[in-house]
Amino acid sequence: MQLDVAFARAFYRPGEPVTLTATRIGGDNGEASFRLQVRVSHLRQSVHELVRDVGAEELAEGVSLSLALPPTAPRGYGLELTLLDARGAPLARHSTSFDVLNHWTEAPRYGFLSDFSSGSDDAQQTMQQLAGYHVNALQFYDWMYRHDTLLPPQERYADPLGRELSLRTVLELIDAAHAYNIAAMPYTAVYAASPAFYEQHPQWGLYHEDGAPHWFADGFLAYMDPRPDSGWTRHLLAQFDRLLRETAFDGIHLDQYGEPRVVYGADGRKFGLEAPLAKLIGATKKVVNAHRSDGAVVFNCVANWPVRAAAPAPQDLVYIEVWEPYVTLSDLYRLVIDAQRLGGGKPDVLAAYIDPAWEHNMRLMDAVIFAAGGARIELGEHCDVLADPYFPKHRPMTPE
């Protein structure tokens, strides 16, 4: 006989009842009733205890529990359930934990979504599974119509790679996430535009010393000028403004590609991108704050660049995509510790891609990141693992 626990929220806010469901799985020993003991602890201190008599059928279907806890946050709690028979002998135990937070960024457990196809009907199941792992925010990866035009012109649309997507699916996933206290963060790129958009606005582009435009992935996207006074930046911020007015997204996730780091504007003048990207983070935060009092901004430091400028900028956590030269477990530790220092104590999240078939590597990687006080963006739809920088190439975990 086993006990299972399903949480109603990915995390709970101060003063919010902690609601969950306990279910017996298998092991019918003929008992008509049981006693369920519930103990909540903070570190070594017991803060809430509950004893409830339950019938066998009720427990098989799921017993709803509501726990009242002190309105203190941020705080993590341990939860232990023990099932006893009529004589008081223990039959099953289940230990787990949960968070009470003011905001998800206090203890980010970042996940991802990448399937926004029409007709998808598993939003509720997806969020329930992810809430079981305490995933409290989701990056909606490549959900948009175009990098330069985020919202689509119609409900069904094709993304730049030709995937058939649905705005209705995106909106349904946002709503389903919110029902579990999971934030929905839309992926955006700070300087990426379609070739057609670039051809319309060449004065907004980024260039090589010889005047040739910067292209990403052999002409798939054009790099645009993210400086504060550029036409591209005004256009991008207007896109963010419209997105937050017309959807229930909870902020903006900003991506960049790590290279180039020094470029030329349309006027032929050379400049570095560190300072402009940090200023773009601040400008994005202002747009988000105008629409969401609790909205968040996250910026991707690719290969830990430009973390010195980005970490102290007005974003809500430090997000680092791990690439060479950071290749060892000790590198992961240093990335976490240095990001916390540079960010003034902000939480940090690492995007470190690994095929979950490499079980030992994945366990060690998570253990080092978590022990250092960091987090990892890891789980997505179907509780698959982030295994590739193109998020739709996620991979299932092994049963172990």
Side-chain angles (χ1 to χ4, degrees):
M1 182 181 296
Q2 292 180 319
L3 281 174
D4 186 45
V5 171
F7 290 97
R9 301 285 188 270
F11 73 95
Y12 299 86
R13 294 186 171 90
E16 180 180 29
V18 177
T19 52
L20 52 100
T21 302
T23 307
R24 186 196 73 194
I25 302 174
D28 186 357
N29 61 354
E31 296 276 347
S33 62
F34 304 91
R35 176 158 290 183
L36 185 63
Q37 294 181 341
V38 181
R39 179 176 179 268
V40 181
S41 59
H42 174 61
L43 302 178
R44 297 188 178 190
Q45 179 182 2
S46 178
V47 296
H48 187 84
E49 294 188 6
L50 173 69
V51 178
R52 181 166 166 181
D53 293 326
V54 296
E57 291 186 7
E58 180 187 11
L59 188 59
E61 293 178 358
V63 176
S64 296
L65 301 171
S66 181
L67 312 175
L69 297 177
T72 304
R75 178 170 283 187
Y77 291 96
L79 175 66
E80 184 175 272
L81 283 77
T82 304
L83 189 66
L84 310 173
D85 65 14
R87 296 173 297 279
L91 299 172
R93 285 192 174 90
H94 185 93
S95 295
T96 183
S97 57
F98 59 90
D99 287 324
V100 175
L101 306 171
N102 296 297
H103 194 267
W104 71 270
T105 56
E106 289 180 324
R109 307 185 193 281
Y110 213 4
F112 69 94
L113 295 176
S114 60
D115 181 6
F116 310 104
S117 55
S118 178
S120 179
D121 60 357
D122 61 351
Q124 173 72 19
Q125 180 183 9
T126 295
M127 300 309 162
Q128 187 175 33
Q129 288 177 327
L130 292 171
Y133 286 96
H134 316 294
V135 171
N136 55 27
L138 291 167
Q139 182 186 151
F140 282 53
Y141 177 88
D142 272 11
W143 67 277
M144 64 282 180
Y145 172 63
R146 296 290 181 270
H147 293 76
D148 48 71
T149 307
L150 300 177
L151 288 169
Q154 63 275 328
E155 194 277 314
R156 295 189 183 186
Y157 56 102
D159 79 356
L161 288 174
R163 295 191 308 157
E164 296 294 329
L165 307 183
S166 162
L167 181 60
R168 178 178 293 120
T169 298
V170 172
L171 299 179
E172 288 174 353
L173 284 166
I174 295 172
D175 289 343
H178 288 168
Y180 283 86
N181 276 0
I182 299 175
M185 296 290 290
Y187 173 97
T188 67
V190 296
Y191 46 29
S194 63
F197 186 92
Y198 163 75
E199 294 295 342
Q200 293 174 352
H201 305 283
Q203 72 277 17
W204 296 355
L206 291 180
Y207 295 89
H208 294 273
E209 185 176 9
D210 63 2
H214 271 285
W215 294 102
F216 176 75
D218 297 323
F220 175 57
L221 295 168
Y223 285 85
M224 309 301 281
D225 187 343
R227 287 180 291 183
D229 58 348
S230 76
W232 164 255
T233 297
R234 291 191 293 272
H235 169 81
L236 186 63
L237 294 175
Q239 287 290 306
F240 295 164
D241 179 77
R242 182 189 172 200
L243 179 63
L244 295 173
R245 277 190 286 109
E246 298 186 17
T247 73
F249 274 124
D250 296 289
I252 298 292
H253 181 103
L254 298 165
D255 189 29
Q256 50 110 6
Y257 305 140
E259 294 287 348
R261 301 183 180 184
V262 177
V263 293
Y264 292 81
D267 59 4
R269 294 183 180 179
K270 180 180 178 180
F271 63 95
L273 283 173
E274 282 196 28
L277 292 178
K279 291 178 180 178
L280 182 60
I281 293 171
T284 302
K285 185 64 173 176
K286 290 180 180 178
V287 174
V288 170
N289 287 347
H291 294 276
R292 308 279 188 273
S293 60
D294 61 348
V297 171
V298 178
F299 174 84
N300 183 10
C301 291
V302 179
N304 204 34
W305 180 88
V307 70
R308 293 186 179 278
Q315 60 174 325
D316 294 87
L317 56 88
V318 183
Y319 181 103
I320 299 171
E321 192 174 40
V322 182
W323 293 103
E324 293 181 350
Y326 305 98
V327 296
T328 69
L329 294 172
S330 58
D331 286 335
L332 298 177
Y333 170 81
R334 282 191 289 270
L335 286 174
V336 171
I337 296 301
D338 288 347
Q340 292 171 348
R341 175 178 55 82
L342 292 168
K346 290 175 187 171
D348 48 5
V349 174
L350 301 189
Y353 310 114
I354 188 170
D355 190 321
W358 297 93
E359 272 185 42
H360 298 302
N361 303 62
M362 181 170 156
R363 290 175 185 269
L364 280 168
M365 183 166 68
D366 280 353
V368 169
I369 294 170
F370 300 159
R376 176 176 167 230
I377 181 168
E378 183 170 21
L379 296 181
E381 48 252 304
H382 317 300
C383 287
D384 278 7
V385 172
L386 190 57
D388 189 270
Y390 183 57
F391 286 19
K393 293 182 178 180
H394 49 76
R395 299 279 296 162
M397 286 187 281
T398 64
E400 292 79 15

